[in-house]
Amino acid sequence: METFTAYIEKDKESGMYIGSVPTLKGAHTCAETLDELHIKLKEVIDLCVEELDNEEIISLPTFVGLAQI
């Protein structure tokens, strides 16, 4: 299985954790705890990857890093 990088934020108003995988269109979810978020992100990644063919998987962008500007 491929490894994907998720971007995780915490919503100040609701207290929910929000996770998204920028390299996979539509791969985002939210949860009340980080443990629950990780489980849900794995599920959504699996669903998104199932929809891709091998050529699309090979051409996915590679994570380089984050910068705060």
Side-chain angles (χ1 to χ4, degrees):
M1 181 178 162
E2 294 280 327
T3 299
F4 294 94
T5 300
Y7 181 79
I8 299 171
E9 297 179 305
K10 186 170 184 178
D11 182 70
K12 289 181 181 178
E13 190 173 307
S14 67
M16 298 286 285
Y17 292 96
I18 302 161
S20 63
V21 181
T23 57
L24 292 172
K25 186 176 180 179
H28 56 274
T29 189
C30 63
E32 292 182 359
T33 67
L34 284 172
D35 288 338
E36 182 184 4
L37 183 67
H38 289 176
I39 292 167
K40 290 175 119 181
L41 279 170
K42 286 178 185 178
E43 291 172 355
V44 78
I45 288 168
D46 288 342
L47 290 171
C48 288
V49 170
E50 280 179 14
E51 297 297 316
L52 301 175
D53 61 34
N54 286 339
E55 189 174 308
E56 290 173 310
I57 292 171
I58 291 169
S59 67
L60 287 173
T62 302
F63 176 75
V64 176
L66 296 172
Q68 288 186 319
I69 300 172

